[in-house]
Amino acid sequence: MSASAGTPATADAELLRRHVAGDTEAFGELFRRHRDRLWAVALRTVCDQEEAADALQDAMLSAFRRAADFRGESAVTTWLHRIVVNACLDRLRRRASRPAMTGEDDVLAALAPPRPDGVELTAARLDVNAALRELPPPQRAALVLVDMLGYSVAEAAEILDISPGTVKSRCARSRAKLLPLVEHLRGGPGGSSPPAQTEHLRGNQPASERVSPQGGDA
Amino acid sequence: MKGHLDADVLAEYRAELITGRRRRAIAAHLLACAECAALDARLAQVSALLAATPVPAVPDALARRLETVLAAEKPISSERHPVPARHRRFPSWGDVFRVRVLAPAAAVAALAGGGYALSQAGDGPSASSGGSTAAGGAYSGAAASNGRGQSAAGAASKGAHSSLSPNRDAKQAGGVSVVVSGVDFRPATLRTQVAGQLRASSTLHPSLATAREAACVRRLSNGATPALAETATYEGQPATVVVIAQPGVDQVLVAGQNCSATVSDILDHAVLSPGISTP
C-alpha cells in the first residue's frame, strides 16, 4: 500500500480526486472503504449472489471510469451507492428482457463450487430473500436502503434520485406486500411471538450470508 | 370510519403519506379497532424484521476479483477514450488487429491459470490440427484458416509484447495466456471437441489473450482456474470456450463475442465426465 492511499482520515472526495489525477492506489482504497456497504446494497437489491457480484463489478468499473464526472454535488458515498443501485436495476432489467432460453443463470450457478453449507440455507433467509424478490426492483431498492440498511428517506431519495415522497410510497407498498412474510414467520396470525422470530433470523442468517459467491477456494 | 383498513392504507399512514383529516380518522380507528391495530403492528414488524436481517460483508473471493478487475483498469489517466465495458460491443482496434482481422475464422486460446501458462510446444498449424484430429469432431471452415490464425496471433503477441515471452506475459497478466488454433465448435460435438482440445492442450501455442478475452475468461471461470480457455468459433460465430474442472466433472461454457467482464453471453454449455476429459 503506497502512502498515497492515504489514511482513514483522508476524505472520500480527496481519494476520488487523486484517482482522477492518476493515483493508482486511490480508487482501490475508496472501494475497500465502502465495499461492504455497497455489496449489501447490491445483494439485497438483486437478491442473487452471482448477479449482485456482477452488478457490483459493473458499478465499480463504471465509477472508476466516470470518476472525473463526479462534481461533488453529493457525498462520494451517495454517488457510489447510486451507481451500484443503477447497475443493479440495469442488470435486473436486462435479465427481465432476456429470453429465458439462455439458461445462463443456471449455468453460472452450476459453475460455483458447492457451498460449504450445501442447500442448508436457513428458512428465514430464504423467506426474506424470496419475499424481497417478489417486489418490483425499484420498490425493493427503496425498501432495502431504508428498512434494511438504515438510510433515511432523504438519503435514499438522493441515492435513488427520486423524491422523498416517492421513497416513502415505494417503501409503504413494499411493506404491505411483505406482510405475508411476517405472518409466515409468526406461524400465521396469532403464532409465536415476534421477538423469538427475530432472534431466529438473527441467529441463523450470518452463517449462510457469509458464504461467498464462489464458496471460497476449496 | 367504516370497515377495516387495508395494509396498503396502513402502510401509507405509517410512512406519513397520509395527512390531515384522513390521518386523524385513521389514528382514531386504530385506537378503537383491535383488528386494524394488530395489522398495524404486523406492518411495523416487517420493517423490524428487515432491519434485523444481517448485512453480509463482501465475500473474500469477490473482493479479490474486484481488486483484480480494478487493478487491470489502471491507470485512469492513460485511458484516452474511456468507455464502459458494457458499451464496448466490439474489441478495441488493437484487439481487432490481433485476432479479429488477422484471424477471422477462428483463434483458439488456451489458458492455464495460477501463473503457469501452457508450454509453447505447438508449431503453427500442426498444433491446432493435432488438437482437431484428437477431438475428432466437425471443424468445418476451420482448416483453411488455421495457419492464418496461428501466425496472426503469434505475430500479434510479438507485436504487442515484443520483449516478453508469452508465458512471461501470461504471468504478468494474471495467469492468462492464449493458444491460437482454429476450431469451429458445434453443438452436437462440443463435448468431443473440448475433450480433444484438453488432450491436445500441451501442444497448443500460447500467446496473450486480449483484454476482453481475459476479462471474459475471468468472468466465466468466476475466480476459479480454468482447465482450458479458448477463443474459437461456435457454429461459425466468434466464441470463447472455457472449461472449469470441478470435483468429478468438468464444466464447459461457450460464450459469444459480447462476453466481457460484465456480460457472459452464454451460447452453450456442457458437462464433461472425467472419463472423457481425462481418458
Side-chain angles (χ1 to χ4, degrees):
Chain A
M1 185 70 56
S2 81
S4 65
T7 63
T10 307
D12 289 343
E14 171 63 12
L15 283 175
L16 203 58
R17 191 196 61 71
R18 289 183 192 173
H19 166 64
V20 172
D23 183 335
T24 57
E25 301 289 337
F27 194 87
E29 172 66 18
L30 191 61
F31 166 65
R32 280 186 289 277
R33 194 177 281 188
H34 300 292
R35 65 187 187 185
D36 285 343
R37 202 89 179 129
L38 297 172
W39 165 244
V41 171
L43 182 62
R44 298 309 184 197
T45 303
V46 176
C47 291
D48 177 279
Q49 294 242 10
E50 291 293 333
E51 289 274 351
D54 289 342
L56 185 59
Q57 181 171 318
D58 290 351
M60 289 304 99
L61 284 172
S62 178
F64 187 103
R65 293 165 180 160
R66 287 161 44 192
D69 297 343
F70 178 74
R71 295 283 174 240
E73 290 118 358
S74 58
V76 171
T77 49
T78 303
W79 177 74
L80 287 172
H81 277 70
R82 186 182 301 158
I83 291 172
V84 169
V85 171
N86 286 339
C88 291
L89 296 179
D90 278 353
R91 195 159 270 279
L92 290 169
R93 267 193 294 271
R94 284 206 299 276
R95 186 157 88 179
S97 64
R98 201 160 57 196
M101 52 166 284
T102 63
E104 184 174 305
D105 296 335
D106 295 340
V107 174
L108 291 177
L111 271 176
R115 298 163 185 272
D117 60 349
V119 293
E120 300 300 315
L121 301 175
T122 67
R125 182 197 165 198
L126 287 177
D127 284 339
V128 172
N129 256 344
L132 284 173
R133 211 174 274 143
E134 294 299 309
L135 300 173
Q139 281 186 26
R140 194 194 302 154
L143 188 74
V144 162
L145 289 173
V146 175
D147 277 8
M148 297 192 85
L149 303 177
Y151 289 94
S152 70
V153 167
E155 287 168 327
E158 205 182 347
I159 289 169
L160 298 172
D161 203 17
I162 56 180
S163 73
T166 306
V167 172
K168 286 182 186 176
S169 168
R170 287 181 184 174
C171 287
R173 269 177 280 158
S174 299
R175 290 170 194 138
K177 280 193 190 129
L178 292 187
L179 261 181
L181 169 69
V182 173
E183 280 157 10
H184 175 70
L185 289 178
R186 285 165 56 96
S192 59
S193 70
Q197 291 302 330
T198 301
E199 282 309 304
H200 170 67
L201 263 183
R202 202 193 298 278
N204 281 305
Q205 280 201 320
S208 55
E209 292 289 4
R210 281 193 213 105
V211 175
S212 73
Q214 287 78 30
D217 295 331
Chain B
M1 181 168 293
K2 289 177 183 171
H4 293 298
L5 298 164
D6 71 24
D8 285 321
V9 170
L10 271 176
E12 288 182 5
Y13 167 81
R14 296 189 62 83
E16 300 181 338
L17 287 164
I18 295 173
T19 56
R21 273 177 60 187
R22 188 152 178 247
R23 180 167 194 86
R24 289 193 292 276
I26 291 173
H29 180 81
L30 285 175
L31 287 174
C33 177
E35 193 174 323
C36 288
L39 181 60
D40 185 50
R42 290 205 298 282
L43 267 176
Q45 206 192 327
V46 170
S47 295
L49 190 83
L50 293 173
T53 302
V55 175
V58 175
D60 289 344
L62 175 60
R64 282 197 302 274
R65 171 178 137 193
L66 291 181
E67 297 266 357
T68 304
V69 166
L70 290 174
E73 286 283 307
K74 292 175 184 174
I76 188 172
S77 51
S78 72
E79 192 164 342
R80 279 167 295 175
H81 304 289
V83 179
R86 85 170 67 112
H87 296 140
R88 270 186 208 145
R89 179 118 199 290
F90 297 104
S92 69
W93 280 113
D95 295 338
V96 167
F97 274 97
R98 264 185 265 174
V99 176
R100 302 285 177 234
V101 171
L102 296 174
V108 172
L111 178 153
Y116 26 84
L118 298 172
S119 62
Q120 191 167 342
D123 201 352
S126 63
S128 59
S129 44
S132 301
T133 306
Y139 298 91
S140 65
S145 65
N146 274 353
R148 289 164 66 201
Q150 284 282 354
S151 57
S157 177
K158 264 185 232 154
H161 305 273
S162 54
S163 64
L164 299 171
S165 73
N167 284 359
R168 216 174 130 202
D169 284 348
K171 285 179 185 174
Q172 294 200 338
V176 178
S177 70
V178 175
V179 171
V180 176
S181 72
V183 175
D184 186 40
F185 290 91
R186 299 279 167 178
T189 52
L190 179 61
R191 286 184 181 79
T192 326
Q193 288 176 302
V194 169
Q197 291 299 96
L198 285 170
R199 281 196 296 272
S201 61
S202 64
T203 66
L204 296 177
H205 196 85
S207 69
L208 244 181
T210 66
R212 185 196 66 81
E213 288 158 357
C216 171
V217 168
R218 280 191 206 102
R219 176 180 167 83
L220 296 179
S221 55
N222 200 20
T225 299
L228 181 71
E230 302 189 4
T231 300
T233 60
Y234 181 76
E235 297 195 287
Q237 298 302 311
T240 302
V241 178
V242 172
V243 180
I244 294 139
Q246 292 179 342
V249 67
D250 286 348
Q251 295 275 355
V252 180
L253 281 180
V254 182
Q257 60 187 327
N258 291 326
C259 178
S260 69
T262 54
V263 176
S264 297
D265 193 16
I266 300 290
L267 301 176
D268 197 2
H269 76 282
V271 174
L272 287 185
S273 71
I276 294 177
S277 58
T278 55

